[in-house]
Amino acid sequence: MTNLKQCSQQDVANFLKFANDIVDKARDIARHYYRQSKKQWTKSDNTWVTEADCAIEEMARVRVKEQFPDHDFFGEEYGDTTSERQLKWCLDPIDGTMAFVYGLPTFGVLIALTENSEPIVGIIELPAMKERWCGARGFTTTWEGQPCRTNLDRSLTDTAVFATSIDMFSDEERELFNRVSLNARERRFGADCYAYGLLASGYIDVVMEADMKAYDLMALVPVDEGPGGIITDWDGKPIKLDSGKQVLAAS
Amino acid sequence: MTNLKQCSQQDVANFLKFANDIVDKARDIARHYYRQSKKQWTKSDNTWVTEADCAIEEMARVRVKEQFPDHDFFGEEYGDTTSERQLKWCLDPIDGTMAFVYGLPTFGVLIALTENSEPIVGIIELPAMKERWCGARGFTTTWEGQPCRTNLDRSLTDTAVFATSIDMFSDEERELFNRVSLNARERRFGADCYAYGLLASGYIDVVMEADMKAYDLMALVPVDEGPGGIITDWDGKPIKLDSGKQVLAAS
């Protein structure tokens, strides 16, 4: 790392404002293509990529480079910068591209800033729903500008466990997921990143997922920790840039 | 049945207009309670019922009784009228109550009219999204007033199979569901009734579900058949009031 001095609260506030400006533009791009464009392709891992993913990531990369030429950038579509600078932006231009392709409104835009590999700013934006959660170290998480709080009233046996799909787990992981989720009141699939926002706002209580990448994960941490949620890997360790693919979030 | 004369096109048009009026009011009620009310209870089958379910069904029952005292009514919350009149309204006041309870926008309102047990009018309304699909015998299905068409370009290996949850199937049903869905490009859970609307509009191609009730099923048929979709039980038989719990819809 080039500089280990921690960002000030004012720095964090400025980065959050900058991230919001990028997401404003990303919302417009996503809404422009949603249910309109048939230009989509399959990547080598058999997942989707669309015109919207590419346009959003290109826009964000250009803006970060202009504004913060000394920051790193890791995006889903165009990869990771190889340097090890103190600050790195992580972007999933469309999280839930499957939902996006099939016209479902649960897809999102995820952007985060990491400092020495710890996420300090995160935004979960739902373009189709026009809903946005913003989290940052030292700040209260907000939903559409209003402060959020998680729900502390429900036990596991009285609530649902969320995951995007039963197919996101390896056989071994599925066994563990089943052990947790079949002890809950019920389980629910298909919420994508929306689940982590709904957790910050107190609507849901547990999300347990696997097969995540760093650009999927970083934005979730400040959003869910801000209002008192706990978000770690399956071993209970903090989520950082070099974490594994698993995440467990709870109110 | 009291009268086997088939309803005219004008009758059907009038019934569709009446159903739309009910759904206008249902949309307002659902939006009033969505993410606002914590008044929800567990039914004997361990599923949810909320203030919104009850308020919508009460409103619809009253209106049908006022306007069409000689029609039957079958609603999720307050049951079935026992007579066997020619025309019966079927209402699921909140389809996807689990989604509704956890603050997810994929819940819907489903209303249908059956004639001699065949669905002739159906509406799928998504209150959180303000989206509505209307279908009726002899009419083109519409989404927000615009005509729909299904997508005929994709094969099973190039598309997704949708279901609300892997947990909706019995062991035997799950085996068959897996056989179909694991031969598709991918599968997707959690769309509730939204999937049948998205199919009518050409965004998705296959929905395969089980554990459905008549009030879940009836509205889907006119919506998906209108733009050329095929919707049957798993044996390929037409969906009627006395069909089983399984449904297979395809573009």
Side-chain angles (χ1 to χ4, degrees):
Chain A
M1 303 289 168
T2 53
N3 178 356
L4 288 174
K5 183 172 161 284
Q6 202 182 53
C7 295
S8 69
Q9 281 293 86
Q10 186 56 54
D11 290 335
V12 172
N14 291 343
F15 292 140
L16 183 59
K17 185 175 177 313
F18 174 76
N20 261 290
D21 291 343
I22 286 186
V23 173
D24 286 344
K25 184 70 185 149
R27 173 186 285 192
D28 291 343
I29 296 171
R31 291 181 66 89
H32 173 76
Y33 289 111
Y34 180 52
R35 296 186 179 174
Q36 300 300 322
S37 166
K38 300 271 179 208
K39 290 197 184 152
Q40 57 221 20
W41 314 271
T42 298
K43 290 193 280 194
S44 58
D45 63 354
N46 202 36
T47 64
W48 292 105
V49 58
T50 74
E51 273 190 305
D53 292 89
C54 299
I56 290 169
E57 186 162 330
E58 283 163 18
M59 173 277 296
R61 275 182 188 268
V62 167
R63 294 204 172 191
V64 167
K65 200 165 183 179
E66 277 169 5
Q67 192 73 24
F68 303 113
D70 58 335
H71 291 190
D72 277 339
F73 194 104
F74 183 16
E76 177 171 13
E77 306 312 333
Y78 300 110
D80 201 356
T81 46
T82 51
S83 63
E84 291 210 355
R85 289 160 170 166
Q86 186 187 10
L87 295 164
K88 177 181 284 205
W89 292 90
C90 293
L91 175 77
D92 190 350
I94 301 283
D95 179 83
T97 310
M98 199 205 288
F100 182 85
V101 163
Y102 294 116
L104 273 164
T106 53
F107 68 92
V109 177
L110 301 178
I111 192 164
L113 179 65
T114 61
E115 182 193 52
N116 304 321
S117 104
E118 284 178 28
I120 59 170
V121 166
I123 295 180
I124 300 174
E125 152 75 17
L126 279 289
M129 299 301 296
K130 292 191 175 171
E131 292 186 66
R132 185 178 303 177
W133 284 270
C134 296
R137 185 177 66 201
F139 290 85
T140 306
T141 292
T142 58
W143 170 82
E144 291 299 293
Q146 304 299 312
C148 294
R149 59 186 181 92
T150 56
N151 188 317
L152 299 175
D153 294 347
R154 288 183 293 245
S155 63
L156 184 63
T157 51
D158 196 32
T159 194
V161 172
F162 280 69
T164 293
S165 175
I166 195 77
D167 299 329
M168 75 191 326
F169 304 107
S170 69
D171 289 348
E172 197 184 329
E173 286 170 338
R174 188 177 302 112
E175 207 174 302
L176 204 59
F177 174 76
N178 282 341
R179 224 151 72 199
V180 174
S181 63
L182 296 175
N183 275 304
R185 185 191 192 287
E186 56 207 345
R187 52 194 198 168
R188 172 87 195 177
F189 300 104
D192 295 311
C193 62
Y194 213 154
Y196 299 88
L198 295 173
L199 189 144
S201 288
Y203 299 117
I204 76 169
D205 304 283
V206 185
V207 195
M208 186 173 181
E209 300 200 291
D211 200 24
M212 306 280 276
K213 307 291 194 310
Y215 45 75
D216 292 328
L217 281 170
M218 292 304 112
L220 313 175
V221 178
V223 168
D224 279 354
E225 285 186 344
I230 293 162
I231 177 164
T232 65
D233 67 16
W234 286 16
D235 296 322
K237 291 195 202 111
I239 304 271
K240 299 186 184 185
L241 265 183
D242 58 356
S243 292
K245 298 174 167 189
Q246 301 163 343
V247 59
L248 178 60
S251 60
Chain B
M1 303 289 168
T2 52
N3 177 359
L4 288 174
K5 182 172 161 285
Q6 202 181 57
C7 295
S8 69
Q9 280 292 87
Q10 187 56 52
D11 291 335
V12 173
N14 291 343
F15 292 139
L16 182 59
K17 186 175 176 312
F18 173 76
N20 261 290
D21 291 343
I22 287 186
V23 174
D24 286 343
K25 184 69 185 150
R27 174 187 282 193
D28 291 343
I29 295 172
R31 291 182 66 89
H32 173 76
Y33 288 113
Y34 179 51
R35 297 187 180 174
Q36 301 299 324
S37 167
K38 301 272 177 205
K39 290 196 184 154
Q40 57 222 19
W41 313 270
T42 298
K43 291 194 279 195
S44 59
D45 62 354
N46 202 35
T47 63
W48 293 104
V49 58
T50 74
E51 276 190 303
D53 293 89
C54 298
I56 290 169
E57 185 160 330
E58 283 163 17
M59 173 276 297
R61 275 183 188 268
V62 167
R63 296 204 172 194
V64 167
K65 200 166 185 180
E66 279 169 5
Q67 192 75 23
F68 304 112
D70 59 334
H71 291 190
D72 278 339
F73 195 104
F74 184 16
E76 176 170 14
E77 307 312 333
Y78 301 110
D80 200 357
T81 45
T82 52
S83 63
E84 291 211 355
R85 290 160 169 169
Q86 184 186 9
L87 295 164
K88 177 181 286 209
W89 293 90
C90 293
L91 175 76
D92 190 349
I94 302 282
D95 179 82
T97 310
M98 199 205 288
F100 182 84
V101 163
Y102 294 116
L104 273 165
T106 53
F107 68 92
V109 176
L110 301 178
I111 192 163
L113 179 65
T114 62
E115 183 193 52
N116 304 320
S117 106
E118 282 179 28
I120 60 170
V121 166
I123 295 180
I124 301 174
E125 152 74 18
L126 279 288
M129 299 302 297
K130 292 190 176 172
E131 292 186 66
R132 186 177 303 178
W133 284 270
C134 295
R137 185 178 66 201
F139 291 84
T140 306
T141 293
T142 58
W143 171 81
E144 291 299 293
Q146 304 299 311
C148 294
R149 59 186 182 92
T150 56
N151 187 316
L152 299 174
D153 293 347
R154 287 182 293 244
S155 63
L156 184 62
T157 52
D158 196 32
T159 194
V161 173
F162 279 68
T164 293
S165 174
I166 194 78
D167 299 329
M168 75 194 323
F169 304 108
S170 69
D171 289 349
E172 198 184 328
E173 286 170 339
R174 187 176 304 112
E175 206 175 303
L176 205 58
F177 174 77
N178 282 341
R179 223 151 74 199
V180 175
S181 62
L182 296 175
N183 275 306
R185 185 191 193 287
E186 58 207 344
R187 52 194 198 169
R188 171 87 194 176
F189 299 103
D192 295 310
C193 61
Y194 213 153
Y196 299 88
L198 295 173
L199 190 144
S201 287
Y203 299 117
I204 76 172
D205 305 283
V206 184
V207 196
M208 183 172 184
E209 300 201 290
D211 200 24
M212 306 282 276
K213 309 289 192 313
Y215 44 76
D216 293 327
L217 281 170
M218 291 304 112
L220 314 175
V221 177
V223 169
D224 279 353
E225 285 185 346
I230 293 161
I231 177 164
T232 65
D233 67 15
W234 287 15
D235 296 323
K237 291 195 201 109
I239 303 273
K240 298 186 183 185
L241 265 182
D242 59 355
S243 291
K245 298 174 168 191
Q246 300 163 342
V247 58
L248 178 61
S251 59

